[in-house]
């Protein structure tokens, strides 16, 4: 049985290299099996609660799809307005209640640390689908999976993380995953949206190569994989500051063709305008395949935490 049996998935930093590799291998296995049939019945009778207190398209729907493909079923909500949260119920009480009904909980909430709070009161495993500007470990795992899939390996690759590295939870989780591999990171952000300095220092202290720049062009010339992100509007206290920064980086086809024609382009999505739509037709635009990979990786995580793999 897996190391994740009965455990929570809260933070990219919780995994060892071997554990990440095991998740990747199981996701590969499910990808292969789904090529031959529509679904498996490993989790027949099991119920997932998908509790989304913040907007989501891919994370929620791919968790739900993953659960259905494994033969399980799903309850949940896509916004807190229709729940007792609107009457003033605390997160802890909502979670304690849902915990009476289901076998596993996937959740997203605007507060940093919310998934950990939920995990403290729930018996069921909690999978963090994003806690404010904190962590988003399942996304980071599917990002890694996509780089492996698209480039054959993560080893030796230079990965540029671009955009809102201060508020982006996918990149906060991502660096904790990438650090286990022999790859290099280039963090590309405007001064105000840099990767938190303590994160960069901690990575460097363990001998991991992290460069910082504010130039997308400079990074693109040297990158094997370009991980674009959205400026996280909902995390800005001052709307004028968002307006000033929102167009900081816009990647288009001409830039790719001029600077690095074989770069792999990733994005957790949703994109606003940081990738021009003329990039979509390039074979190296991996972001919709990346979304599909979310199903395989989340299948692996669900099966593991429920002791079915
Ligand atoms: C990301 C998120 O919610 O953090 N989206 C996702 O899960 N695919 C990225 C974002 O919203 O910018």
């Amino acid at each position: 049985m897996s190391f994740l049996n009965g455990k929570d998935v809260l933070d990219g930093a919780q995994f060892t290299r071997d554990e990440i590799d095991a998740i990747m291998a199981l996701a590969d296995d499910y990808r292969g099996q789904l090529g031959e049939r529509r679904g498996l019945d490993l989790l027949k009778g099991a119920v997932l609660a998908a509790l989304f207190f913040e907007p989501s398209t891919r994370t929620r729907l791919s968790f739900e799809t993953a659960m259905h493909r494994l033969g399980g079923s799903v309850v949940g909500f896509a916004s807190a307005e229709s729940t007792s949260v609107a009457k003033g119920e605390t997160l802890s009480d909502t979670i304690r209640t849902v915990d009476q009904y289901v076998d596993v909980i996937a959740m997203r909430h605007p507060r940093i640390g919310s998934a950990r709070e939920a995990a403290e009161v729930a018996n069921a495993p909690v999978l963090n689908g994003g806690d404010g500007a904190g962590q988003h470990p399942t996304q980071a795992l599917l990002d890694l999976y996509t780089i492996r899939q698209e480039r054959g390996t993560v080893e030796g690759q230079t990965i540029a993380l671009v955009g809102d590295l201060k508020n982006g939870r996918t990149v906060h989780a991502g660096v904790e995953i990438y650090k286990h591999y022999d790859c290099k990171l280039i963090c590309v952000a405007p001064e105000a949206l840099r990767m938190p300095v303590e994160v960069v220092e901690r990575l460097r202290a363990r001998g991991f190569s992290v460069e910082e720049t504010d130039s997308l062009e400079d990074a693109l010339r040297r990158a094997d994989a370009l991980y674009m992100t959205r400026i996280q509007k909902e995390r800005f206290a001052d709307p004028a500051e968002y307006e000033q920064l929102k167009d900081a980086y816009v990647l288009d086809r001409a830039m790719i063709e001029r600077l690095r024609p074989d770069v792999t382009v990733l994005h957790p999505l949703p994109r606003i305008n940081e990738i021009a739509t003329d990039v979509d037709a390039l074979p190296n635009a991996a972001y919709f395949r990346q979304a599909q990979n979310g199903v395989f990786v989340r299948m692996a995580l669900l099966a593991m935490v429920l002791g079915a793999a």
Side-chain angles (χ1 to χ4, degrees):
M1 214 171 283
S2 141
F3 67 93
L4 267 182
N5 184 23
K7 299 271 171 57
D8 306 301
V9 175
L10 301 178
D11 190 312
Q14 79 182 66
F15 298 110
T16 66
R17 164 69 188 257
D18 285 350
E19 291 172 350
I20 298 167
D21 286 341
I23 296 165
M24 298 294 110
L26 190 59
D28 268 338
D29 182 8
Y30 290 149
R31 178 197 190 85
Q33 294 199 50
L34 286 189
E36 287 151 25
R37 67 194 94 143
R38 289 214 173 105
L40 319 174
D41 57 10
L42 284 175
L43 293 185
K44 195 158 183 292
V47 182
L48 163 73
L51 310 183
F52 281 69
F53 300 84
E54 252 195 356
S56 170
T57 298
R58 279 146 290 268
T59 304
R60 185 172 66 84
L61 295 180
S62 66
F63 259 121
E64 294 194 0
T65 303
M67 192 64 183
H68 288 300
R69 296 265 186 221
L70 287 165
S73 54
V74 182
V75 296
F77 50 81
S79 80
E81 288 141 43
S82 64
T83 73
S84 287
V85 171
K87 302 179 187 169
E89 187 168 55
T90 62
L91 175 64
S92 153
D93 282 1
T94 302
I95 297 294
R96 275 178 216 256
T97 304
V98 172
D99 192 42
Q100 309 300 313
Y101 306 146
V102 305
D103 304 289
V104 56
I105 296 170
M107 64 175 277
R108 167 172 291 182
H109 191 281
R111 191 164 68 239
I112 293 181
S114 50
R116 195 169 292 282
E117 287 168 37
E120 274 160 20
V121 297
N123 288 312
V126 172
L127 306 171
N128 180 9
D131 60 319
Q135 285 280 312
H136 193 350
T138 69
Q139 177 71 43
L141 290 164
L142 79 90
D143 296 340
L144 177 82
Y145 184 87
T146 304
I147 294 174
R148 285 169 79 253
Q149 195 73 32
E150 298 285 327
R151 304 211 55 96
T153 177
V154 190
E155 305 290 344
Q157 302 291 302
T158 298
I159 304 165
L161 306 174
V162 184
D164 189 347
L165 308 187
K166 175 183 177 208
N167 299 303
R169 54 198 175 197
T170 71
V171 291
H172 296 165
V175 296
E176 304 298 343
I177 300 288
Y178 299 130
K179 73 183 183 198
H180 294 288
Y181 295 82
D182 182 21
C183 58
K184 289 195 176 120
L185 288 185
I186 308 177
C187 290
V188 187
E191 180 63 31
L193 300 178
R194 281 169 66 178
M195 181 69 77
V197 60
E198 61 280 8
V199 174
V200 173
E201 279 173 5
R202 193 160 34 77
L203 292 169
R204 284 184 181 151
R206 58 178 277 159
F208 188 73
S209 169
V210 186
E211 254 185 74
E212 291 191 278
T213 174
D214 62 3
S215 164
L216 173 57
E217 300 215 347
D218 170 48
L220 179 53
R221 269 189 202 95
R222 293 178 293 131
D224 300 303
L226 198 59
Y227 186 86
M228 300 297 294
T229 68
R230 171 179 73 88
I231 308 298
Q232 306 279 300
K233 183 179 184 181
E234 65 275 37
R235 312 286 176 225
F236 282 75
D238 175 6
E241 197 192 3
Y242 169 73
E243 286 302 316
Q244 209 178 15
L245 291 166
K246 71 179 200 292
D247 298 322
Y249 302 112
V250 179
L251 177 72
D252 64 23
R253 185 173 180 140
M255 273 172 81
I256 295 174
E257 285 169 350
R258 180 162 52 88
L259 297 171
R260 188 76 170 94
D262 74 337
V263 74
T264 298
V265 183
L266 298 105
H267 194 309
L269 302 176
R271 82 172 131 186
I272 309 306
N273 61 350
E274 55 280 350
I275 303 179
T277 51
D278 67 358
V279 176
D280 299 0
L282 290 176
N284 26 344
Y287 27 95
F288 291 108
R289 292 189 292 278
Q290 184 180 355
Q292 185 187 36
N293 291 336
V295 174
F296 310 131
V297 170
R298 291 184 171 114
M299 282 174 77
L301 292 169
L302 286 166
M304 284 174 150
V305 299
L306 288 173

